[in-house]
Amino acid sequence: MTVERSQELESAPVGRLLWQFSWPAIVGMMCNALYNIVDRAFVGRGVGTLAIAATTVAFPLMIILLALSLLIGVGATALISIRLGEQKKEEAEVVAANATSLLVLLPLCFSIIYLSFPEPILRLFGASSEVLPYARDFMHIIMLGSVFGGLSMGMNNFIRAEGNPVMAMSTQVLGTLINGVLNYTFVFQVGMGIKGSALATVLGQLFSTIWVLSYYLTGRSLIKLKLRNFRPRLPILLSIVSIGFAPFAMELATCLQQVILNKSVLTYGGDLGLSAVGILMSIITLLFMPILGISQGAQPLIGFNYGARRFDRVKATLKKAIFAGSCVSVTGYLVMRIWPVEIAGIFTKGDIALTRMTADAMLVFFCMIFMLGFQIVCSQYFQAVGKAVQAAILSLSRQVLFFIPLLLILPHFWGINGVWRTAPIADGLSVIITAVFILNEMKSLATEAKEASP
């Protein structure tokens, strides 16, 4: 890291730095959210309700691909930020090269597994006989291009870690714009249906990958990808995986949650309920991503200053990130309370039954969503400082400890309403656990600061 950038991270006003790093990350994460939302909106209006249900069935598989990218991308980003804060640029480059190899290998292995057993996997994830052909057509194309998604998303985190958030944002904006234009072209103009939507997604990821690689191969990056650094270093690989395990496990838990959710809704609400769940997942993703963008913007600031033992700036960054994330989640909550029917109608194209079910579910499912900002930012904090165990516990608390058990119990008593009620209960309980963890961490930082002072 340059001396100028190092001094800025260590001494510039925290609020300005957080905004400088966060707004590109927010735009970028919103672009990631729009991938699935654009797919669902176009296939819902251009193909029909069964196509929305198919993207809902496909969603857990796409979550697994995302989880693999986060396992490597987030883990490597935390290590890169800390190494740069410690003025160890060469070690940061070794981390980046080893991580890049994994970003190719892991999605490729998963795609081979899926393509060997597509129909059993899709049925396991909730596809009915009517939905299966649509889901198969969609996921076959997605899996063939899975490496592009892994590289573009994972390596984009490295760019942010070295202090270039605008470049990271431009990568995601490029992919989203291409996905949106090609979705419209392939679905409505060419008439390719759900296959066209999948192809648009893959091509968007391909162009993002080309853009990221051009940044590293044309000498514009601070961190250089050198051939000698691609030799696997087991300690580094283990460090990457251990730190990245928290978001990886969280996404796997989300995948399991989505599978159980799909099956529960299919049992109590049929394919119509499955389509409603798909819309709900698109909406929550749209709210989740800007908060995650704030967290990612805070990550290099927290990681660098933690490595530099500037705990006062670590705490200041965390507080401002919590405030910003909470503003987003409260705003999202109010919008969904005021305009549920209008939001649902974006996806349904005059399907009154689906619109009504989705709007009613939204009012219950998201009634505690105003607390989401606090929970996400605090969970991401522990990743930024390399505390993998705490990060994993907080990341998994909502899905594994609360949501999944409630999802297996409540529908037996309340039917489809029991499905909708699981989310707010799980949200409330996970926030309590997060508050306990973060209060203990602030006490620990205060103690370390006293010990470090002369």
Side-chain angles (χ1 to χ4, degrees), residues 20 48 50 53 68-69 132 140 208 239 263 272-273 279 299 307 309 313 320 329 333 384 388 411 423:
Q20 177 184 335
L50 289 178
L68 294 173
S69 297
L132 181 61
H140 185 80
S208 293
S239 296
K263 288 184 172 293
L272 190 70
I279 296 171
Q299 187 180 70
R309 317 303 286 174
R313 292 178 63 79
K320 291 183 182 298
S329 59
Y333 167 81

Side-chain angles (χ1 to χ4, degrees), residues 32 35-36 39 62 65-66 69 141-153 171-172 174-179 182 197-213:
N32 283 340
Y35 264 99
N36 285 327
D39 288 347
M62 298 181 76
L65 290 173
L66 173 63
S69 297
I141 296 173
I142 294 293
M143 284 299 183
L144 289 176
S146 62
V147 171
F148 303 133
L151 282 173
S152 61
M153 182 172 295
T171 303
Q172 294 162 304
L174 174 67
T176 301
L177 290 175
I178 291 172
N179 179 42
L182 293 183
S197 182
L199 182 59
T201 298
V202 169
L203 289 176
Q205 293 170 342
L206 170 61
F207 278 96
S208 293
T209 300
I210 293 172
W211 184 258
V212 169
L213 290 176

Side-chain angles (χ1 to χ4, degrees), residues 45 335-336 338-348 355 359 362:
R45 290 180 166 271
V335 169
M336 285 184 279
I338 297 171
W339 297 293
V341 174
E342 290 79 3
I343 294 172
I346 295 172
F347 301 86
T348 56
T355 302
M362 196 184 306

Side-chain angles (χ1 to χ4, degrees), residues 11 51 53 79 97 114 119 137 165 179 184 199 210 218 226 234 257 263 286 293 313 333 351 414 432 437 446:
S11 60
L79 282 179
Y114 168 81
E119 291 194 13
D137 288 346
N179 179 42
Y184 174 78
L199 182 59
I210 293 172
T218 57
K226 302 171 183 176
L234 185 59
Q257 168 192 305
K263 288 184 172 293
L286 191 62
R313 292 178 63 79
Y333 167 81
D351 189 327
W414 292 316
I432 293 173
F437 270 63

Side-chain angles (χ1 to χ4, degrees), residues 40 66 68 96 106 168-169 204 215 233 244 252 263 272 286 300 318-319 323 340 345 349 359-360 370 380 401 449 452:
R40 285 200 176 104
L66 173 63
L68 294 173
L106 295 184
M169 175 197 70
Y215 175 74
R233 317 282 177 91
L252 287 187
K263 288 184 172 293
L272 190 70
L286 191 62
L318 177 63
K319 289 178 181 178
F323 176 77
K349 195 183 179 181
D360 290 345
F370 57 87
Q380 295 283 310
L401 295 180

